[in-house]
């Protein structure tokens, strides 16, 4: 009994000593400050510096000490705590780390924070250059590969990219989840990439990834960061959120006809997926994104009572997903697949076989290139049977007949298509050999493209109204074509097609703006300030430039207002006869020459009829004999005004186009007076040599300058400066006081020298810029028949 009594206290002492020893050993191991050898007041820079030094010293690849691996884990874990302000504060206040268990050799369990990992994280060594994960090396991206391959491909499928590095302890935490997600997403068609910051710093900076680990998505060339806990469900939802929201339309018994009948407007086949699940499968969304340019996608939930009629109409099996594709015939599907486990390869093959309608409309150059490819090999000729028609109701019968012919004569080497003549006028004019650009009756043309530059061989087959004779004629020509391709006797350079869907750009821009704003708001909510810095810098730079422009404009406007009055006074002095030889425009000339073009039937529309609002064309009237002299003088007089962006300079040869100027001045004859002598009135012929017309093509008015003799009589100068009312009075008084002298000047070219005719043009141009010249409005510009060369 005594022995047993003595053994009991001894056992208690031994147990207590063991517990105390364990506590003594556990205490230092749980202290990250002692492990790193820093004080509690150490800054983040000091902690980081010590961590780098200890990590290099105790890394298992470099330190062969048996305890190096455990020590490296402790160092990394301590740095992870102290580098995070929240974890460090938690330890300082409560003496607790994120793990409820103390540091110890094999007592690491799963963590329940933003990263998920298991015992596989002990599989050392780390992601070093010599021991990099083979699975990741398969997806490693380089900068050129990303720019040249990933970005263009992201317009067809989204990419999921992981940012990692060799010394990233947290990267090991997410590896199991990442591998599982990669395996699933790759089977669905999602692109995968891995960027090692240590070896691809340029690409990491380009993506805006400044910390590891990071996960981001790329779609349509746009980068979006993943901000949530790395779990399989979260990453799957992240990929789904990358896709546009309007890819797949929900179809029920109420809107099925509207969905299927939109094939004509959208010029696309329509695909319907019938399935039991209420949510659109991710595989189907990814397929819709990949083929969004070719097909329109809809989804039918078989679990809804609102879709019962659709399932009955197309005899849908409720036990397996069913995919139907509809083309021109909305009552019967053109193709169908049904399988319990639809694989991406099967769906892709199904989509590729049904990318186009039986007879699609040519709406842009991209579609034309795919339907009618350029000939590459003799045995792989592709012919395009093209119906040139109209979009009015009167052409519907012929168009429907062409569609029925196409569906009955589908061949591998022949593609059928149609084009609206009104929307693709340049192409139709060449193929129909139409020179007057007028709308012609529908016609069928067979063509073969020879090179990418636009060269094609073609043959107009027959006018088309949908009759049996037209169908028989076309069928015979196709049979001849297979035996003898040389029947395509005409060749031409085809112009690029107009994009008929270009008007939808505004809608696409609105959608893109909405997606971009959503991304910005998402970044702001997650306080991702470092990644937001480029955007914030751009916004503040734009605001600064805008503010600076407004301020400078305000000051410049005030200074110009002060200078306006002196200039106006100077202009009045010149008009009244004070000396002056020219004027200067508000803008200095940008060139050391004056660009003057001839006004002909070629430049008529661009230089006059379709001149932009606010622009004017200054036209000098001359003849073959006076051309060189007047052009030289004209250039000297208007040179100081060439700095204006709204003035254009041209000349008109009245030896070629005299009828046009006569017609133009007849339109304005009620509001202007043109001086003629008695002989000229009798012959009904006026010499317009040296006249200058300022033509405003948009508002349809002109200002007129008439040449005068500027010899010794200075008083006669002002009489011919075509100004306001005062100019008109001085001119009439001059005629009253000196009628013989006026007549003599008009008759004799020796008196009215050619090189003196434009002496006063500079002053007239000054008044034109001030807006003080009278304007003569006309109902319309003379037609093209008036500008053509007179014979």
């Amino acid at each position: 009994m005594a022995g047993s009594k003595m053994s009991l206290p001894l056992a208690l002492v031994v147990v207590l000593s063991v517990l105390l020893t364990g506590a003594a050993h556990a205490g230092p191991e749980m202290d990250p400050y002692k492990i790193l050898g820093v004080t509690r007041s150490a800054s983040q820079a000091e902690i980081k510096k010590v961590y780098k030094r200890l990590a290099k010293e105790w890394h298992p690849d470099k330190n062969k000490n048996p305890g190096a691996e455990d020590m490296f884990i402790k160092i990394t874990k301590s740095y992870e705590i102290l580098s995070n302000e929240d974890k460090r504060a938690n330890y300082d206040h409560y003496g607790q780390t994120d793990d409820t268990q103390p540091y110890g050799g094999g007592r690491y369990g799963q963590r329940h924070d933003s990263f998920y990992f298991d015992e596989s994280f002990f599989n050392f060594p780390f992601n070093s250059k010599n021991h990099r994960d083979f699975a990741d090396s398969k997806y490693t991206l380089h900068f050129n590969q990303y720019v040249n391959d990933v970005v263009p491909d992201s317009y067809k499928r989204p990419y999921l990219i992981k940012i990692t590095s060799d010394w990233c302890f947290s990267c090991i935490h997410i590896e199991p989840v990442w591998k599982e997600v990669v395996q699933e997403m790759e089977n669905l068609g999602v692109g995968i990439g891995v960027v090692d910051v240590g070896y691809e710093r340029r690409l990491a900076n380009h993506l805006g990834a400044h910390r590891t680990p990071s996960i981001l998505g790329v779609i349509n060339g746009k980068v979006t960061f993943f901000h949530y806990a790395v779990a399989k469900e979260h990453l799957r939802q992240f990929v789904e959120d990358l896709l546009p929201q309007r890819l797949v339309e929900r179809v029920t018994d109420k809107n099925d006809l509207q969905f299927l009948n939109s094939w004509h407007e959208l010029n696309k086949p329509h695909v319907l997926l019938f399935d039991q699940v209420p949510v659109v499968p991710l595989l189907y969304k990814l397929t819709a994104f990949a083929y969004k340019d070719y097909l329109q996608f809809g989804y039918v939930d078989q679990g809804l009572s609102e879709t019962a009629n659709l399932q009955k109409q197309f005899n849908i099996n409720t036990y397996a997903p069913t995919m139907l594709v509809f083309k021109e015939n909305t009552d019967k599907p053109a193709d169908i697949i049904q399988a319990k486990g639809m694989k991406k390869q099967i769906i892709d093959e199904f989509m590729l076989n049904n990318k186009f309608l039986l007879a699609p409309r040519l709406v842009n150059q991209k579609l034309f290139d795919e339907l009618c490819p350029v000939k590459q090999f003799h045995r792989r000729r592709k012919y395009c049977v093209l119906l040139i028609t109209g979009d009015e109701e009167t052409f519907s019968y012929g168009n429907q007949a062409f569609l029925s012919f196409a569906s009955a004569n589908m061949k591998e080497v022949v593609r059928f298509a149609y084009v609206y003549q009104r929307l693709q006028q340049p192409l139709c004019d060449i193929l129909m050999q139409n020179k007057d650009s007028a709308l012609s009756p529908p016609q069928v043309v067979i063509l073969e493209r020879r090179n990418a530059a636009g060269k094609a061989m073609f043959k107009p087959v027959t006018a088309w109204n949908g009759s049996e004779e037209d169908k028989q004629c076309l069928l015979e020509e196709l049979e001849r074509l297979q035996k003898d391709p040389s029947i395509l006797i005409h060749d031409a350079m085809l112009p690029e097609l107009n994009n008929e869907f270009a008007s939808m750009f505004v809608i696409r821009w609105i959608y893109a703006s909405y997606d971009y704003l959503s991304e910005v708001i998402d970044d702001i909510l997650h306080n991702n300030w470092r990644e937001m810095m480029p955007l914030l810098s751009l916004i503040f730079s734009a605001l600064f430039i805008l503010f600076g422009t407004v301020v400078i404009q305000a000051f410049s406007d005030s200074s110009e207002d002060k200078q306006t009055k002196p200039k106006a006074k100077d202009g009045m002095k010149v008009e009244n006869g004070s000396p002056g030889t020219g004027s200067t425009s508000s803008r200095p000339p940008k060139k050391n020459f004056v660009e003057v073009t001839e006004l002909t039937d070629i430049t008529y529309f661009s230089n006059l009829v379709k001149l932009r609002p606010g622009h004017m064309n200054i036209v000098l009237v001359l003849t073959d004999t006076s051309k060189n002299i007047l052009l030289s003088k004209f250039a000297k007089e208007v040179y100081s005004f060439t700095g204006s962006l709204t003035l254009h300079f041209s000349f008109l040869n009245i030896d070629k186009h005299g009828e046009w100027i006569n017609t133009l001045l007849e339109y304005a004859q009620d509001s202007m007076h043109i001086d003629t002598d008695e002989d000229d009135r009798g012959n009904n012929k006026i010499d317009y040599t040296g006249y200058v017309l300022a033509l405003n093509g948009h508002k349809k008015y002109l200002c007129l300058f008439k040449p005068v003799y500027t010899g010794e009589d200075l008083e006669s100068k002002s009489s011919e400066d075509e100004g306001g009312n005062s100019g008109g009075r001085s001119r009439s008084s001059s005629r009253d006081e000196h009628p013989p002298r006026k007549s003599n000047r008009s008759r004799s070219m020796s008196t009215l020298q050619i090189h003196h005719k434009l002496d006063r043009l500079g002053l007239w141009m000054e008044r034109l810029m001030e807006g003080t010249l009278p304007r003569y409005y006309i109902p319309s510009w003379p037609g093209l028949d008036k500008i053509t060369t007179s014979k």
Side-chain angles (χ1 to χ4, degrees):
M1 292 292 294
S4 61
K5 291 181 179 179
M6 289 295 293
S7 62
L8 183 59
L10 181 60
L12 291 174
V13 171
V14 172
V15 172
L16 290 174
S17 63
V18 171
L19 292 175
L20 291 174
T21 303
H25 286 287
E29 289 183 354
M30 292 179 61
D31 190 347
Y33 291 103
K34 290 185 178 180
I35 293 175
L36 293 181
V38 296
T39 63
R40 288 183 176 270
S41 59
S43 64
Q44 289 292 337
E46 294 173 347
I47 294 173
K48 186 175 183 180
K49 183 177 180 181
V50 173
Y51 164 71
K52 287 185 176 180
R53 177 176 57 80
L54 293 177
K56 290 180 180 179
E57 179 182 349
W58 290 97
H59 196 282
D61 288 349
K62 298 182 179 180
N63 195 326
K64 302 305 180 181
N65 193 311
E69 185 172 320
D70 290 338
M71 188 60 185
F72 183 81
I73 293 175
K74 295 175 184 179
I75 292 170
T76 306
K77 185 64 179 178
S78 300
Y79 176 72
E80 185 178 323
I81 295 171
L82 298 183
S83 63
N84 187 298
E85 294 297 342
D86 294 335
K87 295 180 181 180
R88 183 177 181 181
N90 185 54
Y91 178 80
D92 290 343
H93 287 89
Y94 308 107
Q96 297 177 354
T97 63
D98 288 345
D99 294 328
T100 57
Q101 299 178 352
Y103 293 129
R107 292 174 287 178
Y108 282 87
Q110 275 197 327
R111 288 186 57 192
H112 298 281
D113 60 359
S114 61
F115 297 109
Y116 291 73
F117 64 99
D118 54 17
E119 290 78 6
S120 63
F121 113 8
F122 290 109
N123 294 335
F124 287 90
F126 281 58
N127 294 337
S128 64
K129 184 176 181 181
N130 298 325
H131 301 88
R132 190 173 301 169
D133 192 339
F134 177 76
D136 278 355
S137 63
K138 174 184 176 182
Y139 307 108
T140 301
L141 292 178
H142 305 288
F143 181 82
N144 290 336
Q145 181 185 1
Y146 173 81
V147 173
N148 298 327
D149 299 334
V150 174
V151 172
D153 196 38
S154 69
Y155 288 86
K156 297 180 181 178
R157 61 171 179 164
Y159 271 78
L160 198 63
I161 299 177
K162 180 182 71 171
I163 310 297
T164 185
S165 66
D166 289 346
W167 299 86
C168 174
F169 181 80
S170 300
C171 299
I172 304 175
H173 299 181
I174 68 173
E175 276 304 311
V177 180
W178 172 257
K179 290 180 180 178
E180 188 176 356
V181 171
V182 165
Q183 184 177 2
E184 179 186 359
M185 292 294 111
E186 195 171 22
N187 291 333
L188 295 178
V190 178
I192 305 297
V194 176
V195 178
D196 192 321
V197 177
Y199 304 100
E200 283 296 333
R201 173 64 64 180
R202 181 185 179 190
L203 178 55
N205 292 336
H206 179 77
L207 294 172
H210 303 293
R211 62 173 179 265
T212 56
S214 294
I215 295 177
L216 55 90
V218 180
I219 188 168
N220 291 333
K222 183 181 67 174
V223 177
T224 304
F225 279 84
F226 175 75
H227 299 291
Y228 303 96
V230 182
K232 181 179 178 180
E233 297 77 14
H234 294 167
L235 285 170
R236 183 184 178 90
Q237 186 62 43
F238 174 67
V239 172
E240 195 163 349
D241 292 341
L242 288 175
L243 299 170
Q245 300 299 316
R246 294 160 293 273
L247 280 174
V248 180
E249 182 178 348
R250 293 275 185 167
V251 179
T252 64
D253 296 336
K254 297 180 180 179
N255 65 341
D256 61 322
L257 292 179
Q258 179 183 357
F259 175 78
L260 294 176
N261 288 330
S262 62
W263 68 266
H264 187 269
E265 178 185 356
L266 299 176
N267 199 40
K268 297 178 182 178
H270 284 54
V271 182
L272 274 181
L273 174 65
F274 291 79
D275 204 350
Q276 292 280 359
V277 294
V279 180
V280 181
L282 180 57
L283 175 60
Y284 191 59
K285 286 186 176 181
L286 292 169
T287 303
F289 180 73
Y291 296 94
K292 61 183 180 299
D293 293 335
Y294 303 97
L295 299 155
Q296 195 73 13
F297 292 83
Y299 180 73
V300 180
D301 182 3
Q302 293 177 272
L304 298 177
S305 59
E306 293 87 351
T307 62
N309 292 336
L310 269 176
Q311 299 178 52
K312 183 178 180 181
Q313 178 182 355
F314 299 113
N315 195 22
I316 301 300
N317 184 353
T318 58
Y319 299 102
T322 306
M323 193 175 293
L324 310 178
V325 61
F326 295 84
K327 296 187 177 180
E328 287 87 347
N329 186 1
T330 59
D331 297 326
K332 182 181 179 182
D335 203 352
I336 179 173
I337 57 172
Q338 188 176 50
K340 281 190 175 181
M342 282 195 183
K343 301 297 183 182
K344 180 180 183 299
Q345 293 76 10
I346 299 176
I347 296 179
D348 284 342
E349 184 179 357
F350 181 74
M351 298 300 168
L352 290 173
N353 292 335
N354 296 281
K355 283 174 61 176
F356 305 108
L357 298 168
L358 296 177
R361 185 172 86 253
L362 296 184
V363 294
N364 52 44
Q365 187 64 33
K366 178 183 177 182
L367 183 60
F368 187 33
D369 293 338
E370 295 197 45
L371 284 175
C372 306
V374 175
K375 171 193 170 185
Q376 296 180 352
F377 304 102
H378 180 73
R379 294 184 180 179
R380 302 179 65 182
R381 290 177 178 270
K382 294 286 186 180
Y383 300 103
C384 208
V385 181
L386 190 62
L387 170 65
I388 301 175
T389 181
D391 55 350
E392 291 81 6
E393 188 65 26
T394 54
F395 299 103
S396 59
Y397 177 78
N399 297 345
Q400 189 63 35
F402 182 77
L403 174 60
S404 63
F405 180 87
S407 60
N409 295 274
M410 295 298 295
K411 298 179 182 179
E412 185 179 355
V413 296
V414 178
R415 288 282 179 84
F416 293 88
Y418 69 98
V419 62
Y420 285 151
Q421 185 177 358
R422 180 177 58 85
L423 300 178
Q424 303 291 347
Q425 190 71 42
L427 173 70
C428 297
D429 287 345
I430 292 177
L431 295 179
M432 300 179 73
Q433 299 176 325
N434 190 2
K435 297 183 179 180
D436 56 1
S437 299
L439 295 179
S440 303
Q443 187 171 349
V444 175
V445 177
I446 301 177
L447 65 89
E448 178 190 17
R449 299 180 65 195
R450 290 298 177 90
N451 58 40
K455 183 178 180 180
M457 305 297 296
F458 70 95
K459 178 184 179 181
V461 178
T462 178
W464 184 267
N465 55 21
S467 64
E468 293 299 326
E469 292 80 4
D470 294 341
K471 294 181 181 180
Q472 184 62 32
C473 179
L474 178 56
L475 185 61
E476 292 174 357
E477 286 296 324
L478 290 176
E479 292 175 353
R480 287 183 56 199
L481 181 65
Q482 292 182 358
K483 299 177 182 178
D484 182 15
S486 63
I487 66 172
L488 304 180
I489 56 176
H490 302 285
D491 65 328
M493 295 295 293
L494 302 182
E496 185 170 346
L497 268 66
N498 301 323
N499 186 3
E500 297 181 15
F501 291 155
S503 58
M504 299 174 64
F505 171 77
V506 177
I507 299 176
R508 294 198 300 268
W509 183 85
I510 293 174
Y511 288 155
S513 301
Y514 173 78
D515 294 338
Y516 186 72
L517 288 176
S518 300
E519 179 190 0
V520 171
I521 294 173
D522 184 63
D523 286 339
I524 293 175
L525 292 177
H526 289 88
N527 296 323
N528 196 5
W529 297 110
R530 188 169 185 179
E531 295 163 7
M532 286 287 294
M533 282 304 296
L535 176 63
L536 295 175
S537 176
L538 177 64
I539 292 175
F540 282 111
S541 300
L543 292 175
F544 178 78
I545 294 173
L546 181 63
F547 177 76
T549 304
V550 171
V551 172
I552 294 173
Q553 186 67 30
F555 280 105
S556 63
D557 289 345
S558 61
S559 62
E560 288 178 0
D561 291 342
K562 294 179 180 178
Q563 296 175 3
T564 301
K565 294 181 179 180
K567 284 187 176 182
K569 293 179 180 179
D570 294 343
M572 291 299 295
K573 291 180 181 178
V574 171
E575 182 184 3
N576 293 331
S578 60
T581 59
S583 61
T584 59
S585 64
S586 59
R587 290 176 178 265
K590 294 183 179 181
K591 303 177 181 178
N592 56 2
F593 62 93
V594 180
E595 184 176 356
V596 184
T597 58
E598 185 176 3
L599 191 63
T600 64
D601 56 340
I602 299 176
T603 60
Y604 180 71
F605 278 92
S606 60
N607 287 5
L608 179 58
V609 177
K610 294 186 177 180
L611 204 61
R612 286 181 294 178
H615 287 235
M616 297 190 72
N617 195 358
I618 313 301
V619 182
L620 169 66
V621 182
L622 48 75
T623 60
D624 288 333
T625 56
S626 62
K627 180 177 181 180
N628 294 334
I629 299 175
L630 285 180
L631 279 178
S632 177
K633 181 68 174 178
F634 180 75
K636 292 179 182 178
E637 291 293 324
V638 303
Y639 174 75
S640 59
F641 298 89
T642 55
S644 174
L645 301 178
T646 60
L647 293 183
H648 309 271
F649 301 96
S650 304
F651 69 89
L652 181 75
N653 193 331
I654 56 175
D655 292 340
K656 302 177 181 178
H657 312 294
E659 185 180 359
W660 182 82
I661 190 171
N662 286 328
T663 305
L664 175 66
L665 296 180
E666 284 176 5
Y667 286 164
Q669 64 183 352
D670 295 336
S671 56
M672 67 170 65
H673 303 283
I674 301 175
D675 297 330
T676 58
D677 56 75
E678 295 177 358
D679 295 333
D680 289 337
R681 289 191 188 98
N683 298 330
N684 196 22
K685 186 177 181 181
I686 304 174
D687 181 16
Y688 295 113
T689 305
Y691 277 49
V692 178
L693 308 173
L695 308 177
N696 189 313
H698 180 68
K699 293 188 177 181
K700 295 184 179 63
Y701 70 83
L702 63 92
C703 299
L704 181 64
F705 169 84
K706 301 176 185 177
V708 295
Y709 176 74
T710 55
E712 298 177 354
D713 188 359
L714 297 179
E715 293 297 325
S716 65
K717 288 183 181 181
S718 60
S719 66
E720 295 298 330
D721 185 9
E722 184 66 15
N725 296 331
S726 61
R729 287 193 299 268
S730 61
R731 184 174 62 249
S732 60
S733 61
S734 176
R735 285 198 299 266
D736 294 338
E737 296 173 4
H738 309 285
R741 186 175 176 183
K742 170 72 179 178
S743 178
N744 292 335
R745 286 203 310 271
S746 301
R747 285 194 195 93
S748 176
M749 288 300 297
S750 61
T751 306
L752 186 60
Q753 297 294 333
I754 295 177
H755 64 274
H756 284 306
K757 287 192 172 187
L758 302 179
D759 284 347
R760 304 288 291 177
L761 181 60
L763 298 177
W764 181 84
M765 287 291 298
E766 183 67 27
R767 297 195 60 197
L768 176 67
M769 299 298 291
E770 293 174 357
T772 58
L773 290 176
R775 300 175 179 179
Y776 306 113
Y777 288 86
I778 60 175
S780 62
W781 298 111
L784 285 174
D785 56 330
K786 302 299 183 182
I787 193 67
T788 52
T789 305
S790 56
K791 298 180 181 178

